[in-house]
Amino acid sequence: MLEYLTKDNITFALALLGSIGTLFTCIINFLVYRKNLRIKLISSTYKKTLHRLILVITFENHSRLPITITSVSATMNNKELELLSHPHCVGEYTQKHGNEVVDRKFTYNLDIPVGIQQLGAVSGHILFDVSPTELEKLSTPLTLSIHSTRGRAQKIELQPNQIKRI
């Protein structure tokens, strides 16, 4: 046994352990710090009176680095739809005590770009201007493209029967 405890063998064993530790650290860092953005489409509604497609969406950042959603676009029947960028009211809440209004809150669409901190999430409404005739002719899935500061664009397909019409 003592014949294997030479200076060269001990040096080799320490170098091998150091290399394995470095490889393990690199793999763990890659898994922890890589882009891990999950996108959940909560609901999709088309309001005929406003000619708007309203998407309620949640962005979850599961990585340890912040990420920013830089743009969101949609493709319908090979036509690019632009996101409504200015704030638009998408909901209202009023609380009354008798006849007196005690509290009133308004909900607006997301203002792109949206910064998401590490291990954080952002949720909100996204609006697209869509004419009713285009929506009725929708034969292929509506494709959402979400662009961020890290990695390629993520795509979500929305089937025509998944859009509620109000």
Side-chain angles (χ1 to χ4, degrees):
M1 183 71 163
L2 289 174
E3 62 196 41
Y4 294 114
L5 291 175
T6 65
K7 183 178 178 182
D8 291 336
N9 287 345
I10 293 173
T11 304
F12 175 73
L14 290 175
L16 186 62
L17 284 175
S19 298
I20 292 172
T22 301
L23 180 64
F24 181 73
T25 301
C26 288
I27 291 170
I28 293 297
N29 282 340
F30 173 76
L31 293 176
V32 168
Y33 290 107
R34 69 184 167 95
K35 175 183 175 182
N36 193 357
L37 180 67
R38 293 195 184 136
I39 303 165
K40 294 180 184 176
L41 188 61
I42 308 299
S43 70
S44 57
T45 308
Y46 180 74
K47 288 201 175 182
K48 295 176 185 177
T49 56
L50 299 174
H51 301 279
R52 291 202 178 124
L53 178 63
I54 302 171
L55 303 175
V56 180
I57 196 163
T58 300
F59 302 105
E60 296 177 357
N61 183 10
H62 288 269
S63 76
R64 301 224 182 223
L65 293 175
I67 192 167
T68 300
I69 305 300
T70 56
S71 68
V72 178
S73 62
T75 306
M76 180 187 317
N77 294 331
N78 294 326
K79 182 183 174 191
E80 189 80 17
L81 300 175
E82 289 298 319
L83 180 72
L84 291 178
S85 59
H86 301 296
H88 296 277
C89 185
V90 292
E92 177 182 343
Y93 164 76
T94 304
Q95 182 179 1
K96 292 183 177 182
H97 185 67
N99 288 337
E100 182 182 348
V101 174
V102 178
D103 189 22
R104 179 176 277 174
K105 298 196 188 274
F106 296 95
T107 306
Y108 294 93
N109 59 321
L110 280 177
D111 191 19
I112 303 290
V114 176
I116 309 169
Q117 293 301 315
Q118 61 271 18
L119 303 173
V122 171
S123 182
H125 296 78
I126 294 177
L127 305 176
F128 292 99
D129 257 336
V130 180
S131 71
T133 56
E134 287 179 338
L135 196 63
E136 294 300 325
K137 294 188 297 185
L138 185 62
S139 58
T140 60
L142 179 109
T143 305
L144 287 173
S145 296
I146 294 100
H147 300 269
S148 66
T149 53
R150 296 175 51 207
R152 294 181 303 199
Q154 291 180 258
K155 297 190 184 292
I156 297 175
E157 287 192 350
L158 185 62
Q159 298 297 328
N161 61 355
Q162 291 177 306
I163 302 172
K164 290 190 298 185
R165 290 162 174 85
I166 296 178

